[in-house]
Amino acid sequence: MGGGAAGLSAAVAAARCGLDVLLIEKYGFCGGATVAGLSGTICGLYSSGERPEQIVFGFAGEFHERLKASGGVKDPVPFGRTMLVPHDSFVWKELADHYLRSEKIKTLFHTTLIATYAGGDRVETLVVRTLDGLQAIQPQLVIDASGDAEVVHGIGGETTLGKNGVVQTPTMIFRVGGVAMDVFLKLDPNQIEALVHEANRSGKYHLPRTHVYLFPMPNGREVLCNMTRITFPDGSVPLGVSSEDMTYAEMEGRLQARSYATFLRDRVPGFAHSYIVETGAQVGIRQTRSLVAKSRLMNEDVLAGKKVKGAATFSAWPIEAHGAGELKIVYLEDDTYDIPFETLIPLRGTNVLAAGRCLSAEHEALASARVTGQCFGMGYAAGAAAALMLRENIVAQNVRGEDVQHWMKTRGLKLAGEA
Ligand SMILES: Cc1cc2nc3c(=O)[nH]c(=O)nc-3n(C[C@H](O)[C@H](O)[C@H](O)COP(=O)(O)OP(=O)(O)OC[C@H]3O[C@@H](n4cnc5c(N)ncnc54)[C@H](O)[C@@H]3O)c2cc1C
């Protein structure tokens, strides 16, 4: 369920293990938050410290290499103590299509899950709205890669929402063209932040976030602008699982995108002739429901670089928590932490696993673990685990991460640490 980084990698792993796979996605393309939300860069591949280097591979590495071969990424760019890889959204969609076809994954785009029914402790029926009408699907096993834990929530499984209901802020990301790239590439991020502060003193703009990210796109002509911060006027944060909140967030996001783009044109060297190329198909949602699972990734686990046996994947990405009033970034120094496989095993649903952003994690821990490189790793492990469960007749709650890793090795599926 879902065709984001986690859902696609889960589908590929399951197909490579010989399962018949159906991928369901409400948009007409894969990519989820990275493409529909235009998050636009792959984070979580590189180490964090004085000399960042690529340490996360597995399916994330494979996807990255194939994007590179298709001209969809160029060189990594620095992000504080680590690096990230900007990518081209169209090439991402093309590559995902290629995977779906070559791995023979049956796919239904423009198809939305609207209800989930359980029989006992098993998901029995998924009701989806296709363009041809409602359909009932009776899966042997479901991987909930919806980002929002839609399947788990749908059968009454327990989930949490942010820190006491307060989630990270949404951002409307946009790309601008017409930039003098040679000038842009020499700008210091601190200089841009100072210019935002100065602009805010003028009273002419609506720029609630001052620590902004601007990344060069692989086409060498455009800049990806991760600048906006969306809250309600009272400072509360819209929820990505409420249509009313999302409607506000989309409109406020466009207002802010226009104001930041005007600020760039007016005040930032190299942007005098710039223009908005596009915003995401939807506002970017960083956090909604997180599972309550067999294991929970704790803030302390991230900060202490905790290692476990049988991890789904691992990470050196910082805690990057976009709050209503501030952006908090805490880097790991020459260390990584593991994401236990058990964070993907809901307490309810013997034939359900989860993958990606809805893993079980504390608020700050999620602000690290949710990035694309790790969503790929979680999905790939979950897809392999699905095959193990069906082959060995194991219920989700009895799956062990070590067995999943062993199974992946015997099937030739690379673990996250394997280049
Ligand atoms: C503003 C913002 C900036 C970010 N910046 C970066 C960045 O620079 N680098 C980085 O690596 N990460 C970044 N992230 C995080 C990253 O993009 C996401 O956390 C990650 O892509 C999540 O992947 P996922 O597969 O778990 O979920 P998603 O990408 O959310 O995929 C879920 C998929 O399920 C589909 N779906 C959901 N519900 C249903 C339903 N009911 N029926 C059918 N389909 C459904 C959705 O359409 C979607 O395609 C950012 C996120 C945001 C919001």
Side-chain angles (χ1 to χ4, degrees):
M1 180 57 59
L8 178 70
S9 51
V12 170
R16 287 179 176 174
C17 291
L19 298 190
D20 285 334
V21 184
L22 170 63
L23 184 141
I24 294 168
E25 168 55 52
K26 69 182 173 191
Y27 288 117
F29 50 85
C30 280
T34 58
V35 173
L38 214 64
S39 77
T41 86
I42 305 176
C43 299
L45 298 181
Y46 281 73
S47 60
S48 180
E50 203 52 43
R51 285 194 188 78
E53 55 185 40
Q54 188 173 350
I55 51 170
V56 170
F57 298 92
F59 186 74
E62 175 187 321
F63 196 87
H64 172 229
E65 285 305 319
R66 291 199 187 178
L67 272 179
K68 200 191 298 181
S70 310
V73 298
K74 282 218 173 116
D75 297 334
V77 300
F79 181 88
R81 305 284 292 163
T82 182
M83 312 274 275
L84 51 74
V85 186
H87 62 78
D88 180 290
S89 294
F90 183 72
V91 180
W92 182 291
K93 291 181 202 172
E94 272 183 319
L95 180 55
D97 289 345
H98 171 75
Y99 272 108
L100 295 171
R101 288 184 159 167
S102 61
E103 303 289 348
K104 302 192 173 28
I105 296 163
K106 182 169 183 211
T107 304
L108 284 177
F109 285 147
H110 298 293
T111 298
T112 305
L113 174 73
I114 56 170
T116 309
Y117 295 98
D121 200 16
R122 240 183 95 76
V123 168
E124 288 209 324
T125 308
L126 303 170
V127 179
V128 295
R129 193 182 59 236
T130 71
L131 297 179
D132 318 281
L134 295 186
Q135 285 187 23
I137 296 168
Q138 299 198 299
Q140 281 186 275
L141 192 145
V142 193
I143 297 176
D144 186 344
S146 65
D148 299 330
E150 286 272 304
V151 177
V152 174
H153 179 69
I155 57 165
E158 204 182 334
T159 57
T160 58
L161 199 59
K163 194 187 254 175
N164 305 320
V166 179
V167 293
Q168 290 190 65
T169 49
T171 287
M172 179 67 85
I173 298 189
F174 58 100
R175 288 203 326 268
V176 296
V179 182
M181 292 302 282
D182 50 336
V183 180
F184 163 70
L185 290 171
K186 287 190 200 117
L187 289 175
D188 173 352
N190 293 327
Q191 186 188 349
I192 300 171
E193 186 163 348
L195 290 172
V196 179
H197 281 293
E198 196 180 288
N200 273 338
R201 284 194 289 276
S202 77
K204 276 175 56 187
Y205 307 91
H206 178 35
L207 315 175
R209 176 172 152 199
T210 55
H211 188 78
V212 296
Y213 308 154
L214 296 174
F215 302 117
M217 294 310 295
N219 61 26
R221 294 192 175 82
E222 292 171 358
V223 173
L224 183 77
C225 303
N226 180 334
M227 305 178 87
T228 66
R229 171 188 289 151
I230 300 163
T231 61
F232 286 115
D234 68 359
S236 60
V237 181
L239 288 180
V241 285
S242 152
S243 288
E244 241 178 76
D245 286 16
M246 282 295 277
T247 304
Y248 169 85
E250 299 284 1
M251 292 190 194
E252 172 65 14
R254 282 188 279 276
L255 266 183
Q256 287 190 23
R258 174 59 73 198
S259 197
Y260 277 98
T262 307
F263 151 77
L264 289 170
R265 275 183 72 111
D266 290 353
R267 292 174 177 250
V268 179
F271 286 81
H273 303 291
S274 64
Y275 51 88
I276 295 181
V277 175
E278 65 168 355
T279 59
Q282 68 151 80
V283 65
I285 295 298
R286 294 189 167 85
Q287 184 179 24
T288 52
R289 302 182 195 104
S290 300
L291 296 192
V292 174
K294 274 192 82 178
S295 166
R296 195 160 184 80
L297 182 69
M298 308 301 280
N299 300 338
E300 188 48 38
D301 299 341
V302 173
L303 295 171
K306 187 170 172 190
K307 316 289 187 293
V308 299
K309 284 197 177 138
T313 183
F314 64 100
S315 180
W317 190 252
I319 288 175
E320 185 206 346
H322 293 252
E326 57 158 11
L327 169 55
K328 177 176 140 192
I329 304 185
V330 184
Y331 289 96
L332 276 74
E333 198 61 22
D334 294 317
D335 204 357
T336 62
Y337 67 90
D338 284 343
I339 300 180
F341 187 83
E342 289 73 12
T343 59
L344 309 179
I345 303 179
L347 300 181
R348 274 210 75 191
T350 53
N351 61 342
V352 187
L353 293 172
R357 167 166 81 73
C358 55
L359 81 150
S360 180
E362 276 194 301
H363 182 72
E364 278 82 9
L366 182 71
S368 167
R370 69 190 169 87
V371 293
T372 310
Q374 282 57 42
C375 288
F376 275 134
M378 288 184 254
Y380 209 51
L388 171 65
M389 286 168 63
L390 292 175
R391 168 64 73 89
E392 306 285 337
N393 203 16
I394 305 171
V395 297
Q397 290 68 31
N398 291 343
V399 175
R400 294 176 352 126
E402 288 158 274
D403 296 339
V404 177
Q405 285 194 347
H406 179 70
W407 171 262
M408 289 175 77
K409 281 187 184 152
T410 59
R411 298 280 144 163
L413 301 185
K414 284 185 179 160
L415 303 182
E418 290 176 343

Short mmCIF file of all heavy atoms in Angstrom, two decimals, residues 26 148 150 161 167-168 170 237-243 245-246 249 282-289 357:
data_model
loop_
_atom_site.label_atom_id
_atom_site.label_comp_id
_atom_site.label_asym_id
_atom_site.label_seq_id
_atom_site.Cartn_x
_atom_site.Cartn_y
_atom_site.Cartn_z
N LYS A 26 -2.32 6.20 -4.82
CA LYS A 26 -3.40 7.13 -5.15
C LYS A 26 -3.03 8.12 -6.26
O LYS A 26 -3.90 8.63 -6.96
CB LYS A 26 -3.89 7.86 -3.90
CG LYS A 26 -2.92 8.85 -3.31
CD LYS A 26 -3.49 9.48 -2.04
CE LYS A 26 -2.43 10.33 -1.36
NZ LYS A 26 -2.81 10.75 -0.03
N ASP A 148 1.13 7.09 6.35
CA ASP A 148 0.16 7.48 7.39
C ASP A 148 -0.35 6.30 8.21
O ASP A 148 -1.33 6.45 8.95
CB ASP A 148 -1.06 8.16 6.73
CG ASP A 148 -0.68 9.40 5.95
OD1 ASP A 148 0.30 10.06 6.34
OD2 ASP A 148 -1.36 9.72 4.96
N GLU A 150 -2.12 3.90 7.25
CA GLU A 150 -3.55 3.81 6.89
C GLU A 150 -4.13 2.42 7.16
O GLU A 150 -5.26 2.30 7.63
CB GLU A 150 -3.72 4.09 5.40
CG GLU A 150 -3.56 5.52 5.00
CD GLU A 150 -4.85 6.28 5.10
OE1 GLU A 150 -5.82 5.86 4.48
OE2 GLU A 150 -4.89 7.28 5.83
N LEU A 161 0.67 10.13 17.45
CA LEU A 161 0.72 11.30 16.57
C LEU A 161 1.69 12.32 17.18
O LEU A 161 1.36 13.00 18.15
CB LEU A 161 -0.68 11.90 16.47
CG LEU A 161 -0.99 12.82 15.32
CD1 LEU A 161 -0.78 12.16 13.97
CD2 LEU A 161 -2.41 13.33 15.43
N VAL A 167 2.80 17.59 15.55
CA VAL A 167 3.70 16.98 14.55
C VAL A 167 4.64 18.05 13.99
O VAL A 167 4.47 19.24 14.24
CB VAL A 167 2.88 16.35 13.39
CG1 VAL A 167 2.09 15.16 13.87
CG2 VAL A 167 1.97 17.39 12.74
N GLN A 168 5.61 17.57 13.20
CA GLN A 168 6.49 18.52 12.53
C GLN A 168 5.70 19.33 11.50
O GLN A 168 4.67 18.88 10.99
CB GLN A 168 7.60 17.76 11.80
CG GLN A 168 8.60 17.11 12.72
CD GLN A 168 9.78 16.61 11.89
OE1 GLN A 168 10.51 17.38 11.29
NE2 GLN A 168 9.93 15.31 11.85
N PRO A 170 4.48 21.14 8.07
CA PRO A 170 4.54 20.90 6.61
C PRO A 170 5.36 22.00 5.92
O PRO A 170 5.53 23.10 6.46
CB PRO A 170 3.08 20.99 6.17
CG PRO A 170 2.26 20.92 7.42
CD PRO A 170 3.12 21.47 8.51
N VAL A 237 -0.06 23.27 14.38
CA VAL A 237 0.44 22.66 13.14
C VAL A 237 -0.67 21.87 12.44
O VAL A 237 -1.29 21.00 13.06
CB VAL A 237 1.64 21.72 13.45
CG1 VAL A 237 2.19 21.11 12.17
CG2 VAL A 237 2.74 22.49 14.19
N PRO A 238 -0.91 22.13 11.16
CA PRO A 238 -1.93 21.37 10.43
C PRO A 238 -1.56 19.88 10.37
O PRO A 238 -0.38 19.54 10.29
CB PRO A 238 -1.89 21.97 9.02
CG PRO A 238 -1.19 23.27 9.14
CD PRO A 238 -0.28 23.17 10.33
N LEU A 239 -2.58 19.05 10.37
CA LEU A 239 -2.36 17.60 10.32
C LEU A 239 -2.52 17.09 8.89
O LEU A 239 -3.50 17.44 8.21
CB LEU A 239 -3.37 16.88 11.21
CG LEU A 239 -3.17 17.03 12.72
CD1 LEU A 239 -4.25 16.25 13.47
CD2 LEU A 239 -1.78 16.55 13.13
N GLY A 240 -1.61 16.21 8.51
CA GLY A 240 -1.67 15.63 7.16
C GLY A 240 -2.76 14.59 7.01
O GLY A 240 -2.96 14.08 5.91
N VAL A 241 -3.47 14.28 8.08
CA VAL A 241 -4.56 13.31 7.97
C VAL A 241 -5.91 13.99 8.22
O VAL A 241 -6.85 13.37 8.68
CB VAL A 241 -4.34 12.10 8.92
CG1 VAL A 241 -3.26 11.19 8.38
CG2 VAL A 241 -4.01 12.55 10.34
N SER A 242 -6.00 15.29 7.90
CA SER A 242 -7.27 16.02 7.99
C SER A 242 -7.44 16.84 6.72
O SER A 242 -6.56 17.64 6.36
CB SER A 242 -7.23 16.97 9.21
OG SER A 242 -8.07 18.08 8.99
N SER A 243 -8.55 16.63 6.01
CA SER A 243 -8.76 17.36 4.74
C SER A 243 -8.85 18.86 4.98
O SER A 243 -8.34 19.66 4.19
CB SER A 243 -10.05 16.89 4.05
OG SER A 243 -9.86 15.61 3.54
N ASP A 245 -7.42 20.61 7.41
CA ASP A 245 -6.07 21.12 7.68
C ASP A 245 -5.23 21.15 6.41
O ASP A 245 -4.48 22.08 6.17
CB ASP A 245 -5.35 20.23 8.72
CG ASP A 245 -5.89 20.43 10.14
OD1 ASP A 245 -7.00 21.00 10.27
OD2 ASP A 245 -5.22 20.00 11.09
N MET A 246 -5.37 20.09 5.61
CA MET A 246 -4.56 20.02 4.38
C MET A 246 -4.96 21.12 3.39
O MET A 246 -4.12 21.65 2.67
CB MET A 246 -4.70 18.65 3.73
CG MET A 246 -3.88 17.58 4.40
SD MET A 246 -2.10 17.88 4.25
CE MET A 246 -1.76 17.22 2.63
N ALA A 249 -3.27 24.09 4.53
CA ALA A 249 -1.81 23.98 4.33
C ALA A 249 -1.43 24.20 2.86
O ALA A 249 -0.42 24.83 2.56
CB ALA A 249 -1.32 22.61 4.80
N GLN A 282 1.54 18.11 -3.98
CA GLN A 282 0.88 18.36 -2.69
C GLN A 282 1.90 18.94 -1.72
O GLN A 282 3.10 18.82 -1.93
CB GLN A 282 0.30 17.07 -2.11
CG GLN A 282 1.34 16.05 -1.67
CD GLN A 282 0.83 15.18 -0.53
OE1 GLN A 282 0.09 14.23 -0.77
NE2 GLN A 282 1.21 15.50 0.71
N VAL A 283 1.39 19.60 -0.70
CA VAL A 283 2.26 20.13 0.34
C VAL A 283 3.02 18.97 1.00
O VAL A 283 2.48 17.87 1.13
CB VAL A 283 1.42 20.94 1.36
CG1 VAL A 283 0.44 20.05 2.10
CG2 VAL A 283 2.29 21.70 2.34
N GLY A 284 4.26 19.20 1.40
CA GLY A 284 5.07 18.14 2.00
C GLY A 284 4.70 17.91 3.46
O GLY A 284 4.69 18.84 4.27
N ILE A 285 4.38 16.65 3.76
CA ILE A 285 3.98 16.28 5.12
C ILE A 285 5.07 15.43 5.74
O ILE A 285 5.37 14.33 5.27
CB ILE A 285 2.64 15.49 5.08
CG1 ILE A 285 1.53 16.41 4.55
CG2 ILE A 285 2.27 14.92 6.44
CD1 ILE A 285 1.25 17.62 5.41
N ARG A 286 5.66 15.95 6.80
CA ARG A 286 6.79 15.23 7.41
C ARG A 286 6.37 14.13 8.36
O ARG A 286 7.09 13.17 8.57
CB ARG A 286 7.68 16.22 8.19
CG ARG A 286 8.36 17.22 7.30
CD ARG A 286 9.39 18.04 8.05
NE ARG A 286 10.23 18.76 7.10
CZ ARG A 286 9.93 19.93 6.57
NH1 ARG A 286 8.81 20.55 6.90
NH2 ARG A 286 10.74 20.50 5.70
N GLN A 287 5.20 14.28 8.97
CA GLN A 287 4.86 13.35 10.06
C GLN A 287 3.35 13.29 10.22
O GLN A 287 2.68 14.32 10.24
CB GLN A 287 5.49 13.90 11.35
CG GLN A 287 5.34 13.04 12.58
CD GLN A 287 6.03 13.69 13.78
OE1 GLN A 287 6.22 14.92 13.82
NE2 GLN A 287 6.38 12.90 14.76
N THR A 288 2.85 12.06 10.29
CA THR A 288 1.45 11.87 10.71
C THR A 288 1.46 10.76 11.76
O THR A 288 2.10 10.90 12.79
CB THR A 288 0.51 11.57 9.52
OG1 THR A 288 1.06 10.47 8.77
CG2 THR A 288 0.32 12.76 8.62
N ARG A 289 0.74 9.66 11.45
CA ARG A 289 0.67 8.58 12.46
C ARG A 289 1.93 7.74 12.44
O ARG A 289 2.46 7.42 11.39
CB ARG A 289 -0.50 7.65 12.16
CG ARG A 289 -1.85 8.33 12.11
CD ARG A 289 -2.94 7.27 11.85
NE ARG A 289 -4.16 7.91 11.46
CZ ARG A 289 -4.63 7.95 10.21
NH1 ARG A 289 -3.99 7.33 9.24
NH2 ARG A 289 -5.74 8.59 9.94
N ARG A 357 8.00 5.98 6.62
CA ARG A 357 7.79 7.08 7.56
C ARG A 357 6.89 6.72 8.76
O ARG A 357 6.99 7.36 9.80
CB ARG A 357 7.20 8.25 6.76
CG ARG A 357 6.63 9.37 7.52
CD ARG A 357 6.42 10.57 6.63
NE ARG A 357 5.22 10.55 5.83
CZ ARG A 357 3.98 10.75 6.30
NH1 ARG A 357 3.77 10.90 7.59
NH2 ARG A 357 2.95 10.75 5.47
#
